[in-house]
């Protein structure tokens, strides 16, 4: 069976179809040959009858099956003609193919993939199909009228009279015609190259059929029909959607690999660019190196030239001086000879013998003396100069020092890493991002100064082999400026950029007298020992147990100021330490302080004390020796009381209840209570609306007690003078109560809205002392009505 595609297959007879080349006249057909004019519709491909078109049966069954085959062919022809008349349903055919090949589950996806193809085929197929059906009908009619033998053969066949030999001959001829027609149509389809107007004589080509499966062997999409009967019969196939997904995954993997290669090539290109830059930089350094050595050699040569020229000039000068001296001596000797010669000649001209003899004796002496002198007739110096050998060893050394090792480039100093410093040491790191040969590094540093003459700070230099160094013996919380250079045989690199490092701070100092606490909180104050500011502080708490030292139970970090409010547990004891932090790291712990949460602790503010009031060594006892002139001329602080001999305690900044006691003497007049921070310093406690106090006055008849606020007091008589007065401050309930602590007696309670936190206040009106007791647990009887 042929595997070509077509909506109908037609076994041509003697008539020539349109668009086909002329063929020789067809011979006369016998009755059996007329039976070869059979139409096979595509519906056969979707039914079980497709296997019965050319059945392979034993020869004994040919006669019986041939009749069945022809009857089925006749029925199929009728079906085809009906479908031609009713129109061709391509979607129905695709659905039947999907059901037949098990593609129902992927039908929707296939229809989406084939949608465009289906629309194209539907738009082009029906007219051509109808035209082809008409052509087939005309051919069929022509074949019927072409030969009476054919009509007779058909009549004979309808009567069931053909012999077995004629039937076998008819079947073989039909098969031969089918094969010849298949080859002829295939050639015409290939020569046409696509769609044409001759649909009546040409079936649809394989390329125009929509592929619905994928051949894994040939790596191409094919039709499911080709898998069953075509050249892809023995090949491995897969459903087209799954093959598409597989190809997409493979393409995605390849794209990922391609992106990796692109990234690698980009990195390599960047590296090449860096190498290009490095080559340029190395060339520049090498050129500078050659130029520097050349200049040094030229300078040495010029220096040696000057030295040799100067020596040669000195030798010339000496020779000329010697010759000149000898020439002068020779001239003097000649002058003397000429003078003696002239004198001798004049002597011979003397006629007087006596005069002659006198002159002759003198002349003879002169001549003898002159002739005794040795006359040097040899040159004192030779005109030739000595051979001078120039020492080029230094130049050779300079020339030999020119090598391929350039001077190193500048190192890169790292910024300071956090928590790498102590109060007296720093660890500095740097790097060299080149392949230069390095013998050592020179690390330089100096303190950073904000003053104008910062350059005058002493610089320190260290030689280091590694790319890191720890510098010791530094000042705490101090900034230092560092820079580094690299050294090799060719020279010293330019200095790196300067980096500022800072040492860790010094341990803070906690102020014990500034600490305030209550049963559930504490306010801790400290001061920094460093000149430069720090970044923050950390408070570490250790709860004391039965053992001497407790473990750290809590750390409070990121404190910006020199005080912190800490929430604690009641009736406990804590050791509290403080650390200071900056970029360099943390300081050592401060000296610990002990804090108890058994009651309220506060201290006395010395800045507010009257000049006549003294604070004893324990820090909680005040005394006054004389009161004759309260407004004395002693030095007064800006925040001190000037009229009332009083003092304020530190602020109690904790909500809740606070209790403390004051020990008093019966013969001392005093005022005790609380006051706002802004209470007037030139007035008396209780005489204004910013203070509340209990006043003791001694009268001739009795001890008088007043509870003053804004100068007003209730009429209260106290029969038992208290020696230990308890004061209860209740912020929550806005009450201030006074008690006789010795007998647990309630004395009086102020009810007032405390708009701000208050200070304990104390004052003496007669010489005496007051002793303040803090850290006392609130007695239970203070809660009684």
């Amino acid at each position: 069976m042929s595997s070509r595609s077509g909506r109908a297959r037609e076994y041509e007879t003697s008539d020539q179809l349109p668009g086909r080349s002329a063929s020789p006249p067809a011979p006369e057909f016998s009755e059996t040959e007329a039976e070869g004019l059979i139409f096979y519709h595509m519906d056969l491909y979707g039914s079980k009858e497709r296997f019965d078109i050319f059945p392979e049966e034993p020869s004994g069954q040919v006669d019986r099956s041939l009749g069945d085959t022809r009857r089925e062919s006749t029925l199929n022809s009728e079906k085809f003609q009906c479908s031609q008349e009713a129109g061709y349903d391509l979607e129905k055919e695709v659905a039947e193919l999907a059901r037949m090949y098990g593609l129902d589950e992927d039908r929707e996806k296939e229809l989406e993939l084939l949608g465009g193809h289906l629309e194209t085929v539907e738009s082009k197929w029906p007219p051509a199909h109808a035209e082809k059906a008409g052509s087939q009908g005309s051919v069929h009619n022509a074949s019927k009228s072409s030969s009476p033998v054919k009509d007779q053969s058909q009549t004979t066949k309808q009567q069931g009279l053909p012999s077995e030999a004629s039937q076998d001959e008819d079947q073989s001829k039909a098969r031969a015609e089918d094969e010849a027609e298949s080859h002829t149509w295939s050639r015409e389809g290939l020569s046409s190259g696509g769609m044409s107007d001759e649909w009546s004589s040409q079936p649809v080509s394989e390329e125009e059929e929509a592929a619905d499966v994928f051949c894994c062997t040939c790596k191409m999409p094919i039709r499911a029909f080709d898998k069953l009967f075509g050249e892809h019969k023995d090949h491995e196939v897969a459903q087209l959607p799954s093959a598409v997904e597989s190809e997409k995954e493979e393409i995605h993997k390849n794209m990922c690999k391609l992106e990796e290669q692109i990234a690698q090539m980009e990195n390599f290109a960047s590296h090449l660019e860096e190498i290009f830059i490095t080559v340029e930089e190395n060339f520049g350094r090498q050129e500078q190196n050659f130029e520097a050595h050349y200049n040094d050699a030229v300078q040495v040569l010029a220096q040696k030239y000057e030295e040799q020229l100067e020596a040669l000039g000195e030798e010339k000068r000496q020779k000329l001086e010697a010759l000149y001296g000898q020439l002068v001596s020779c001239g003097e000797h000649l002058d003397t000879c000429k003078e003696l010669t002239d004198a001798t000649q004049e002597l011979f001209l003397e006629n007087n013998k006596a005069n002659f003899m006198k002159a002759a004796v003198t002349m003879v002496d002169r001549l003898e003396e002159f002739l005794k002198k040795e006359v040097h007739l040899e040159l004192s110096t030779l005109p030739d100069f000595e051979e001078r050998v120039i020492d080029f060893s230094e130049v050779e050394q300079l020339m030999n020092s020119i090598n391929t090792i350039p001077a190193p480039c500048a190192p890169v100093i790292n910024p300071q890493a956090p928590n790498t410093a102590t109060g007296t040491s720093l660890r500095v790191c740097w790097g060299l991002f080149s392949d230069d040969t390095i013998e050592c590094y020179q690390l330089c540093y100096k303190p950073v100064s904000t003053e104008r003459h910062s350059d005058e700070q002493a610089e320190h230099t260290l030689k280091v082999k590694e790319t890191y160094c720890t510098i010791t013996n530094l000042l705490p919380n101090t900034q230092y400026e560092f820079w580094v250079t690299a050294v090799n045989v060719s020279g010293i690199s330019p200095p790196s950029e300067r980096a500022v490092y800072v040492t860790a701070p010094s341990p803070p100092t906690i102020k014990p007298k500034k600490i305030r606490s209550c049963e559930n909180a504490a306010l801790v104050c400290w001061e920094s020992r460093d000149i430069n500011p720090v970044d923050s502080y950390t408070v570490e708490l250790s709860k004391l147990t039965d053992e001497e030292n407790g473990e750290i139970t809590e750390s409070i970090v990121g404190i910006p100021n020199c005080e912190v409010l800490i929430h604690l547990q009641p009736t406990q004891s804590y050791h509290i330490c403080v650390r200071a932090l900056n970029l360099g790291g943390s300081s050592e712990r401060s000296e610990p302080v002990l804090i108890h949460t058994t009651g309220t602790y506060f201290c006395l503010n010395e800045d507010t004390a009257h000049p006549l009031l003294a604070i004893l060594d324990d820090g909680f006892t005040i005394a006054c020796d004389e009161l004759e002139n309260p407004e004395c001329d002693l030095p007064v602080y800006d925040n001190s009381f000037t009229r009332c001999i009083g003092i304020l305690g530190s602020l109690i900044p904790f909500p809740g209840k606070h209790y403390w006691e004051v020990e008093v003497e019966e013969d001392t007049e005093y005022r005790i209570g609380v006051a706002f921070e802004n209470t007037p310093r030139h007035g008396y406690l209780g005489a204004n609306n910013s203070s509340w106090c209990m006043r003791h006055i001694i009268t001739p008849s009795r001890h008088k007690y007043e509870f003053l606020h804004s100068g007003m007091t209730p009429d209260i008589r106290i029969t038992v003078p208290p020696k230990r007065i308890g004061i209860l401050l209740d912020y929550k309930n806005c009450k201030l109560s006074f008690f006789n602590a010795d007998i647990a007696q309630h004395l009086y309670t102020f009810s007032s809205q405390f708009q701000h936190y208050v200070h304990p206040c104390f004052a003496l009106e007669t010489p005496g002392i007051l002793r303040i007791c803090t850290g006392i647990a609130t007695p239970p009887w203070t809660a009684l009505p």
Side-chain angles (χ1 to χ4, degrees):
M1 181 177 178
S2 176
S3 62
R4 63 184 175 82
S5 171
R7 300 304 175 188
R9 298 191 304 174
E10 177 180 353
Y11 296 89
E12 297 184 19
T13 58
S14 60
D15 293 339
Q16 181 179 353
L17 297 177
R20 300 284 295 274
S21 61
S23 61
E28 287 188 6
F29 288 92
S30 63
E31 282 185 15
T32 56
E33 289 174 346
E35 298 298 328
L37 192 59
I38 301 173
F39 294 92
Y40 296 97
H41 188 252
M42 278 297 293
D43 292 342
L44 289 176
Y45 299 156
S47 63
K48 66 181 181 179
E49 286 82 358
R50 69 184 185 280
F51 299 107
D52 299 329
I53 296 175
F54 296 109
E56 297 179 1
E57 296 180 353
S59 61
Q61 300 178 359
V62 172
D63 295 338
R64 184 181 65 225
S65 62
L66 184 59
D68 296 338
T69 302
R70 288 174 177 174
R71 284 194 297 272
E72 291 173 358
S73 301
T74 304
L75 293 174
N76 291 332
S77 297
E78 294 175 356
K79 290 181 181 179
F80 174 74
Q81 292 174 359
C82 294
S83 65
Q84 295 295 327
E85 295 173 359
Y88 181 68
D89 190 355
L90 182 59
E91 293 186 0
K92 182 177 180 181
E93 181 180 341
V94 173
E96 290 178 357
L97 288 173
R99 286 195 299 272
M100 180 174 60
Y101 295 114
L103 303 177
D104 291 337
E105 297 178 357
D106 300 328
R107 181 183 178 189
E108 294 182 359
K109 295 182 179 178
E110 292 176 359
L111 289 176
E112 291 178 0
L113 294 173
L114 300 175
H117 177 69
L118 291 176
E119 292 176 0
T120 305
V121 173
E122 287 177 356
S123 62
K124 295 182 178 180
W125 170 260
H129 187 63
E131 182 182 354
K132 184 177 180 182
S135 175
Q136 289 173 346
S138 63
V139 172
H140 183 66
N141 294 334
S143 64
K144 283 185 178 181
S145 60
S146 63
S147 175
V149 177
K150 186 177 293 186
D151 295 340
Q152 184 179 0
S153 176
Q154 291 177 353
T155 305
T156 304
K157 181 180 179 184
Q158 291 175 357
Q159 294 175 357
L161 299 177
S163 64
E164 294 180 359
S166 62
Q167 290 176 355
D168 294 340
E169 183 180 0
D170 182 31
Q171 182 178 3
S172 62
K173 288 183 178 181
R175 289 180 180 176
E177 288 178 350
D178 181 31
E179 294 177 357
E181 178 185 308
S182 173
H183 291 302
T184 302
W185 283 18
S186 299
R187 289 194 299 272
E188 289 175 355
L190 293 172
S191 64
S192 63
M195 300 292 292
S196 68
D197 296 334
E198 299 176 357
W199 280 86
S200 61
S201 62
Q202 296 183 11
V204 180
S205 64
E206 293 182 5
E207 289 78 2
E208 294 170 352
E209 278 293 325
D212 47 8
V213 293
F214 182 77
C215 179
C216 300
T217 304
C218 299
K219 300 297 183 183
M220 61 181 294
I222 62 173
R223 301 173 304 158
F225 179 80
D226 295 337
K227 166 60 181 173
L228 296 176
F229 305 103
E231 59 182 357
H232 305 280
K233 183 176 181 180
D234 297 329
H235 294 177
E236 181 183 356
V237 298
Q239 293 184 3
L240 194 58
S242 61
V244 169
E245 294 298 327
S246 177
E247 287 299 321
K248 286 183 178 180
E249 291 179 1
E250 188 67 22
I251 292 174
H252 179 69
K253 291 180 182 178
N254 292 332
M255 287 297 295
C256 293
K257 293 180 180 179
L258 184 60
E259 290 177 357
E260 291 179 359
Q261 289 185 1
I262 291 173
Q264 292 177 358
M265 294 303 296
E266 288 179 350
N267 294 335
F268 182 69
S270 300
H271 182 63
L272 286 178
E273 292 178 358
E274 293 177 357
I275 295 300
F276 270 103
I277 297 173
T278 303
V279 168
E280 292 291 341
E281 292 178 351
N282 291 340
F283 170 77
R285 289 198 298 269
Q286 193 70 14
E287 184 181 17
Q288 293 177 358
N289 184 33
F290 285 152
E291 184 177 358
H293 282 77
Y294 172 78
N295 291 335
D296 292 343
V298 170
Q299 185 177 0
V300 170
L301 286 175
Q303 182 178 358
K304 289 188 174 295
Y305 170 78
E306 294 293 339
E307 291 176 356
Q308 293 294 332
L309 187 62
E310 183 179 357
L312 188 63
E314 181 65 21
E315 184 179 1
K316 170 188 174 183
R317 184 185 64 78
Q318 292 177 359
K319 285 181 177 293
L320 291 178
E321 288 180 356
L323 292 174
Y324 180 76
Q326 192 173 12
L327 182 61
V328 170
S329 176
C330 182
E332 292 177 352
H333 193 76
L334 288 174
D335 292 341
T336 304
C337 289
K338 288 181 179 181
E339 181 184 357
L340 291 176
T341 299
D342 294 340
T344 303
Q345 291 177 358
E346 290 179 357
L347 180 63
F348 279 103
L349 296 176
E350 180 66 40
N351 295 324
N352 189 347
K353 294 182 179 180
N355 293 335
F356 176 78
M357 288 302 297
K358 292 180 180 178
V361 172
T362 305
M363 181 59 68
V364 170
D365 293 337
R366 289 183 60 188
L367 289 174
E368 288 179 356
E369 183 179 359
F370 177 76
L371 293 175
K372 286 181 181 179
K373 292 182 180 180
E374 185 177 1
V375 179
H376 299 284
L377 300 178
E378 296 180 359
L379 294 175
S380 61
T381 181
L382 296 177
D384 299 332
F385 288 83
E386 78 175 279
E387 294 291 335
R388 296 183 177 273
V389 179
I390 301 176
D391 184 12
F392 289 99
S393 60
E394 187 176 357
V395 178
E396 291 177 357
Q397 184 178 359
L398 287 174
M399 298 302 294
N400 293 332
S401 65
I402 301 177
N403 48 46
T404 57
I405 301 177
C409 60
V412 178
I413 193 165
N414 299 341
Q416 183 176 12
N419 303 320
T420 56
T422 66
T424 58
S425 66
L426 284 171
R427 180 181 175 87
V428 183
C429 302
W430 60 90
L432 187 69
F433 298 97
S434 66
D435 297 331
D436 296 334
T437 302
I438 303 300
E439 291 185 355
C440 66
Y441 295 95
Q442 290 182 353
L443 178 63
C444 304
Y445 67 95
K446 67 176 182 178
V448 176
S449 176
T450 57
E451 299 178 359
R452 296 181 180 178
H453 305 288
S454 58
D455 295 338
E456 298 179 1
Q457 295 286 341
E459 294 184 3
H460 305 273
T461 302
L462 300 175
K463 285 189 177 181
V464 186
K465 291 290 186 181
E466 296 81 8
T467 57
Y468 60 88
C469 181
T470 300
I471 301 94
T472 57
N473 300 324
L474 303 177
L475 299 176
N477 198 33
T478 303
Q479 291 181 339
Y480 288 87
E481 194 175 33
F482 290 88
W483 63 97
V484 64
T485 56
V487 181
N488 63 11
V489 294
S490 299
I492 302 176
S493 72
S496 67
E497 293 186 359
R498 302 198 175 195
V500 176
Y501 281 53
V502 59
T503 53
S506 302
T509 301
I510 299 179
K511 301 177 180 179
K513 295 183 178 181
K514 297 290 185 179
I515 294 178
R516 287 152 280 175
S517 64
C518 62
E519 294 182 353
N520 53 16
L523 182 65
V524 183
C525 301
W526 61 88
E527 63 181 358
S528 174
R529 294 166 50 188
D530 300 310
I531 299 176
N532 298 321
V534 300
D535 295 341
S536 63
Y537 297 93
T538 297
V539 175
E540 298 176 353
L541 288 76
S542 301
K543 185 188 295 185
L544 298 183
T545 58
D546 295 338
E547 302 177 358
E548 292 184 359
N549 297 322
E551 298 181 354
I552 296 177
T553 58
E554 184 179 358
S555 293
I556 304 173
V557 300
I559 303 171
N561 303 320
C562 291
E563 66 176 24
V564 63
L565 180 63
I566 309 171
H567 295 281
L568 305 174
Q569 298 177 1
T571 66
Q572 300 292 332
S573 297
Y574 293 88
H575 266 151
I576 295 182
C577 301
V578 182
R579 295 179 184 265
L581 289 86
N582 63 9
L583 177 63
S586 173
S587 70
E588 299 294 330
R589 292 182 186 176
S590 65
E591 290 294 331
V593 294
L594 182 62
I595 292 179
H596 303 282
T597 57
T598 53
T600 299
Y601 285 86
F602 60 85
C603 56
L604 298 177
N605 189 351
E606 298 181 4
D607 295 340
T608 63
H610 190 277
L612 296 178
L613 194 65
I615 302 175
L616 302 187
D617 294 338
D618 61 0
F620 292 96
T621 302
I622 59 175
C624 181
D625 295 333
E626 55 179 353
L627 297 176
E628 295 181 357
N629 185 13
E631 297 181 3
C632 59
D633 296 332
L634 294 175
V636 178
Y637 295 105
D638 294 338
N639 201 27
S640 301
F641 285 97
T642 58
R643 189 172 184 183
C644 176
I645 306 177
I647 189 173
L648 295 180
S650 54
L651 186 71
I652 301 178
F654 315 111
K657 295 182 179 182
H658 305 278
Y659 180 81
W660 65 93
E661 295 180 353
V662 181
E663 294 181 0
V664 298
E665 297 176 349
E666 292 187 9
D667 56 350
T668 302
E669 295 182 356
Y670 53 84
R671 296 174 186 242
I672 56 176
V674 297
F676 287 141
E677 172 69 28
N678 60 354
T679 189
R681 302 296 193 264
H682 58 276
Y684 289 97
L685 296 175
N688 47 60
N689 59 359
S690 59
S691 57
W692 298 259
C693 69
M694 172 183 174
R695 181 187 183 191
H696 174 228
I697 305 173
I698 301 175
T699 63
S701 59
R702 63 184 177 89
H703 293 274
K704 183 179 180 181
Y705 294 91
E706 297 177 344
F707 296 91
L708 298 171
H709 176 62
S710 299
M712 305 296 292
T713 179
D715 187 11
I716 295 177
R717 292 180 178 270
I718 299 176
T719 57
V720 179
K723 295 182 180 179
R724 190 177 183 91
I725 302 172
I727 302 173
L728 178 63
L729 173 63
D730 189 350
Y731 279 122
K732 181 178 180 180
N733 296 317
C734 303
K735 292 182 178 181
L736 177 66
S737 302
F738 296 88
F739 301 89
N740 186 341
D742 292 333
I743 60 176
Q745 179 186 16
H746 174 258
L747 301 179
Y748 182 75
T749 297
F750 288 101
S751 295
S752 178
Q753 293 289 338
F754 298 110
Q755 299 177 355
H756 308 285
Y757 291 121
V758 297
H759 297 254
C761 59
F762 311 92
L764 289 171
E765 297 187 344
T766 59
I769 61 173
L770 296 176
R771 184 174 292 106
I772 298 98
C773 302
T774 62
I776 303 172
T778 303
W781 40 262
T782 57
L784 296 177

